[in-house]
Amino acid sequence: MERRRNLRRAGLALAAGALFLAGCGTSAAGKGGKDTKADPAASASASAGASVGAAAGASANASAAPLKPGEVRVGGAVGKPYTLTLADLRKLPQSSAPVKFTSAKGDQEHTYAGVPLYEVLKTAEPRFDQSKKNGQLRGVVAATGGGDYRAVFAWAELDPGFAKSQILLAVSEDGVPFDDAAGPRLVVPQDTKGGRYVSELNQLWVGAVDPVVDGAR
């Protein structure tokens, strides 16, 4: 009988000791079971992660920096996004196009000079799905101008391999150069209305309709 009592007391003592040690471990390591305060490597890793996150945020903010008048940002699904200016466009080989269209101001008739939109976008190296037959025919281009005005084009409309029309980034109208505040201007000679003549152009975005169409199924 006495032996049983001794064994029971020993068992209770061992259990109490285990609970005490477990409590000490929780106090030192915290809820995660690891003492991050006593682990320099963990602290350094956390600090490095925060620095990388801050750098990435700074880079994103830099890429979204406001554009100056006369600047156009070319981006989207492209290999080489870049920004060009009205002055850059004037240095490139020029094409001209006489146009007639109707606008809110009435019938318009002008001659524009500028750079083919296809040439500007080709420099950015658009990325189309080459595993699809004529993958570029799934491509779209969104042109944004002053006042958040935007018009969308199918890639085939501006690609000379598919269309005869020539959409321009115009640098002048009737021989008068645009200033930075007014240009460049997107000119669409085949349109009978001036809705897609995007003034104060500042952004060209290249993409594909697949994510939208496939996601709508």
Side-chain angles (χ1 to χ4, degrees):
M1 193 71 175
E2 185 64 26
R3 183 180 179 187
R4 289 180 181 177
R5 291 195 186 95
N6 290 339
L7 288 174
R8 185 178 179 183
R9 290 193 190 100
L12 290 173
L14 287 172
L19 289 172
F20 174 77
L21 290 174
C24 291
T26 301
S27 175
K31 293 182 180 180
K34 183 177 180 180
D35 187 0
T36 54
K37 291 183 179 180
D39 188 345
S43 298
S45 177
S47 177
S51 297
V52 170
S59 176
N61 290 335
S63 64
L67 291 168
K68 298 177 182 178
E71 290 184 334
V72 180
R73 180 178 290 138
V74 183
V78 298
K80 295 181 178 180
Y82 73 107
T83 298
L84 76 162
T85 67
L86 193 57
D88 294 331
L89 288 170
R90 290 196 181 101
K91 297 175 184 177
L92 299 175
Q94 304 288 299
S95 297
S96 63
V99 301
K100 292 181 179 181
F101 61 92
T102 301
S103 74
K105 297 179 180 180
D107 293 339
Q108 304 285 318
E109 187 172 350
H110 301 286
T111 298
Y112 289 99
V115 181
L117 176 60
Y118 175 78
E119 296 300 327
V120 171
L121 296 180
K122 185 175 68 173
T123 299
E125 298 182 3
R127 292 178 173 175
F128 298 120
D129 189 349
Q130 298 303 320
S131 68
K132 307 292 186 181
K133 182 179 179 179
N134 287 330
Q136 64 269 45
L137 295 185
R138 299 163 181 253
V140 292
V141 176
T144 304
D148 196 33
Y149 190 85
R150 182 168 292 159
V152 177
F153 301 80
W155 181 263
E157 291 183 81
L158 57 101
D159 188 335
F162 292 95
K164 293 181 179 180
S165 60
Q166 189 176 67
I167 301 173
L168 296 179
L169 291 187
V171 299
S172 69
E173 179 186 77
D174 300 327
V176 180
F178 291 128
D179 59 20
D180 285 346
R185 187 179 191 187
L186 197 67
V187 171
V188 193
Q190 71 267 28
D191 284 7
T192 57
K193 289 192 175 182
R196 296 199 297 177
Y197 280 57
V198 182
S199 299
E200 301 174 31
L201 185 73
N202 55 56
Q203 184 184 61
L204 292 166
W205 178 91
V206 181
V209 299
D210 292 357
V212 177
V213 176
D214 295 341
R217 289 178 181 174

